Amino acid sequence: MSHSDFFEALGINVKDKFAAKRLADAVGIPVQRLRHYNDSNTLPSGGDLDRICSLSGVSPYELMLKMGVLDRRILKALRSNATEILDLIRDDIEQPENFIKPPPMVFETNFGRLYQGDCMALMHHMENDSVDMIFADPPFNLKKIYPSGVNDDLHDEQYLEWCERWAAECVRLLKPGGSLFLWNIPKWNTQISAYLNARLTFRHWIAVDIKYTLPISGRLYPSHYALLYYCKGEKPKAFHPDRLPMEICPVCKADLRDYGGYKDKMNPRGVNLADVWTDITPVRHSKYKKRKGANELSIKLMDRIVEMASDEGDLIFDPFGGSGTTYVVAEIKRRRWIGIELGPVEDILSRFEEISVEADLIEKIRHNYNCLFTADNLSVRREQGLWTCESVRQTGGNRH
Ligand SMILES: C[S@@+](CC[C@H](N)C(=O)[O-])C[C@H]1O[C@@H](n2cnc3c(N)ncnc32)[C@H](O)[C@@H]1O
């Protein structure tokens, strides 16, 4: 489906197949470029903008307003005329309160409740300021087929409008001091962050080094997911990031980086968690993959997020259940949780039947955190005469 704010702003009838060509001939801009402005809702600039505006009689600011491409100057002017503008647009933006049926609860544990249906309907029935942490991993609008049959091929504007609707609900539900995480590809999170920046406090853009497509010709190889991290209010109520072991050569166990040379200053509890995560592997192995062909997230990723931004007994909400990774991790870590999935929930239910397998996996993962060297690596380093926390302290700790 194509979008037509740009053409409509110029008074072009999008149903007229030749109208764009006529405009292209008149302004001397290739029709392909005009279509790009239209389809991606990108404001023309430079000579193109001058030619389009002078020929159409539409001023640049009118074009910007009609395309919804607002700079700070326009926003400032809109703000100072807010009352008059609201009178003009009230009917378009205020919606009547319709009765929305709550989705049915389909599963319950000591800690959580799983619903089946549309997350918007569930959130409608949830209270303001009631959730401590939210994690959202929506469909990425990449034309994927989901078991729920959700349309994953929306026009950019439609997708972003939908994202803003559920994000607005997430903001409303979050308690002061609560944390919100959004998992998406950078293309969408740059846009969703613009919406959230005005409502929550930006904490981090965490780049999680995972390749999610094959290399694309003419583009850089997309190699990270964007994990947006916000909190409500000035600072988060819970923040205890794990510390990670130092990166060392997996074969010879020697240092891979020079941490400034002062090894005695290295914290024996490990290296500070950075905003680039390189140790999260995609879930590919069938032993751990719970849903065939689904975008199931790594339990290691979710464990790190839950550990960092919540405490035992906190309430965690994830509006896009999928295979239920968030709910399983919340349950194992003794957080209360609320979940919902539009499509089938059998995979989530069967995951809970074997939850001890994933609890063991988390224990194994956590065994290697909050230390500078894992126990196995430490013994090899000792054997090889490589430095350890004790050895640098014994030798006075200076440069080795
Ligand atoms: C990317 S997957 C989430 C994967 C999940 N994080 C996991 O680890 O398994 C997105 C899920 O959201 C579901 N979904 C899409 N729209 C929804 C809606 N409006 N309400 C509830 N679930 C929805 C899809 O059916 C899909 O299973």
Side-chain angles (χ1 to χ4, degrees), residues 280-353:
I280 307 289
T281 43
V283 187
R284 293 245 163 79
H285 198 289
S286 60
K287 182 175 163 202
Y288 296 117
K289 200 165 175 77
K290 301 297 166 194
R291 220 166 48 141
K292 284 178 202 78
N295 296 30
E296 178 184 330
L297 285 182
S298 138
I299 202 144
K300 183 174 183 181
L301 171 82
M302 198 52 59
D303 166 74
R304 186 170 297 170
I305 296 169
V306 168
E307 191 72 34
M308 175 165 70
S310 68
D311 292 301
E312 265 192 40
D314 276 358
L315 180 61
I316 296 181
F317 173 58
D318 181 340
F320 304 104
S323 65
T325 314
T326 309
Y327 316 143
V328 166
V329 172
E331 183 85 13
I332 292 169
K333 302 186 86 71
R334 306 179 66 81
R335 272 68 169 168
R336 294 173 300 124
W337 56 270
I338 296 177
I340 179 149
E341 166 56 45
L342 189 60
V345 295
E346 283 68 28
D347 291 328
I348 304 180
L349 304 190
S350 56
R351 217 166 155 178
F352 270 85
E353 281 168 19

Side-chain angles (χ1 to χ4, degrees), residues 30 42 54 57 77 89 107 132 134 139 141 155 175 187 216 277 345 360 382 389 395:
T42 301
S54 70
I89 64 174
F107 176 60
D132 297 285
I134 299 179
N141 208 32
H155 184 272
K175 281 184 195 171
K187 171 181 170 173
I216 303 164
W277 295 358
V345 295
D360 292 347
R382 279 193 191 117
C389 293
T395 56

Side-chain angles (χ1 to χ4, degrees), residues 216-232:
I216 303 164
S217 153
R219 305 262 311 270
L220 296 180
Y221 192 170
S223 298
H224 82 277
Y225 283 90
L227 176 63
L228 279 177
Y229 170 18
Y230 285 86
C231 71
K232 191 168 188 169

